[in-house]
Amino acid sequence: AQKITQTQPGMFVQEKEAVTLDCTYDTSDPSYGLFWYKQPSSGEMIFLIYQGSYDQQNATEGRYSLNFQKARKSANLVISASQLGDSAMYFCAMMPGFQKLVFGTGTRLLVSP
Amino acid sequence: DTGVSQDPRHKITKRGQNVTFRCDPISEHNRLYWYRQTLGQGPEFLTYFQNEAQLEKSRLLSDRFSAERPKGSFSTLEIQRTEQGDSAMYLCASRGPVSGGEKDEQFFGPGTRLTVL
C-alpha cells in the first residue's frame, strides 16, 4: 500500500523560530519522490521541496530543508526562521514510481508574532 | 501565461445537475493530473493523462465522472448527476515531459471549488 502519514494536525511556532513537520511514508516501490507542498487559505498548492529516494544528501531550498531518513521511511520538513507568511497547511506527498502523487492529511502551521 | 489555470473557480449546483470543469496546463507540459480535495483532507488522485491518452483512473472516479483531453492540451472533467458527496475542491496539475529526472514536480492550478446543494 502507498501511504503518507502526517501525525501533527496542527503546529504552533513563534516568528523567527525553527519548526519541524513530521512525515512518514510507506511504499513498496524502490524508486519514489518525496515532496512538500504548502497550501495557503487561498487554496493553491505551492511546491516547496523535493527529495528523491536515491538522493544521498538531504534536500534544501532556502529556509526549507528535508530531513530524509530512508531506513525509518521519514521525510520531515524543517522550516528555519519562521515568518508570519508561513502560516498555512503543509502537505507531504510521495510519488511512487514517479507518476501520481499520494498526499498525507496535512499539518496546519500557525506562526505567531 | 506561466501557470496552470482552471475555470470556473467556484461552482454551485443543485443535486442531479451536470457540471464541467476546464483545466489549461502549462503550455509545454504533456502530463496532466486531476485530484479531488475534500475538507480537512489532502488531495486524492483521480486521473492522469499523457498527451491525449488517459493512462490511469482511480477507483474514486465513478461512472458519473468523465475526463477528456482531446488534443493533448486543455482537459475537461465532467460530473453527471451530481451528489452532495461530490462537493470538494477539484485540482488540476501539469508536469513536463519525462526527462529522466524524476524531480520534475507537478504544478497545480488554483482549483475549482464545487458545492452541491
Side-chain angles (χ1 to χ4, degrees):
Chain A
Q2 323 278 14
K3 189 175 180 182
I4 291 282
T5 302
Q6 293 182 256
T7 57
Q8 304 157 315
M11 289 287 285
F12 296 89
V13 67
Q14 279 201 310
E15 203 176 2
K16 299 180 185 176
E17 291 186 347
V19 62
T20 298
L21 306 184
D22 295 340
C23 172
T24 57
Y25 61 91
D26 188 19
T27 181
S28 55
D29 268 286
S31 299
Y32 50 89
L34 295 160
F35 298 77
W36 278 91
Y37 282 85
K38 173 183 178 181
Q39 188 176 43
S41 55
S42 51
E44 74 271 27
M45 299 290 285
I46 302 168
F47 166 76
L48 297 178
I49 195 166
Y50 164 86
Q51 179 85 42
S53 56
Y54 294 117
D55 292 344
Q56 296 296 313
Q57 291 189 321
N58 288 341
T60 60
E61 292 281 352
R63 295 186 298 112
Y64 304 107
S65 60
L66 198 152
N67 185 358
F68 180 46
Q69 297 188 42
K70 194 170 183 178
R72 294 185 178 183
K73 294 191 173 180
S74 75
N76 298 340
L77 176 71
V78 181
I79 305 175
S80 62
S82 299
Q83 301 172 356
L84 295 178
D86 293 335
S87 294
M89 283 291 290
Y90 287 80
F91 290 97
C92 180
M94 171 176 61
M95 192 183 287
F98 303 112
Q99 291 300 334
K100 61 180 182 276
L101 285 167
V102 177
F103 285 86
T105 52
T107 296
R108 181 171 297 282
L109 177 66
L110 287 178
V111 181
S112 61
Chain B
D1 182 16
T2 57
V4 178
S5 62
Q6 291 186 246
D7 183 68
R9 296 289 307 275
H10 302 273
K11 179 70 177 178
I12 300 174
T13 191
K14 292 183 179 178
R15 189 177 53 181
Q17 298 295 305
N18 299 345
V19 294
T20 300
F21 310 141
R22 176 178 169 128
C23 171
D24 287 88
I26 294 171
S27 59
E28 64 270 23
H29 285 185
N30 66 332
R31 292 178 287 178
L32 188 147
Y33 303 77
W34 285 98
Y35 294 86
R36 181 173 69 187
Q37 185 178 22
T38 52
L39 206 60
Q41 299 297 316
E44 295 173 294
F45 170 77
L46 292 178
T47 190
Y48 157 58
F49 290 86
Q50 183 164 309
N51 299 312
E52 64 275 10
Q54 189 173 19
L55 296 187
E56 187 173 352
K57 290 170 60 173
S58 163
R59 283 174 291 179
L60 292 175
L61 217 64
S62 75
D63 291 344
R64 297 184 297 104
F65 288 71
S66 62
E68 293 183 343
R69 195 182 183 199
K71 297 182 180 179
S73 56
F74 73 91
S75 175
T76 58
L77 177 68
E78 181 183 16
I79 309 174
Q80 296 183 327
R81 305 181 303 283
T82 52
E83 301 173 357
Q84 287 185 324
D86 297 331
S87 296
M89 175 78 88
Y90 290 84
L91 293 162
C92 175
S94 73
R95 191 175 173 208
V98 176
S99 62
E102 64 276 8
K103 65 176 61 178
D104 12 63
E105 76 264 25
Q106 296 182 18
F107 292 84
F108 282 81
T112 294
R113 185 171 295 282
L114 173 66
T115 302
V116 181
L117 302 176

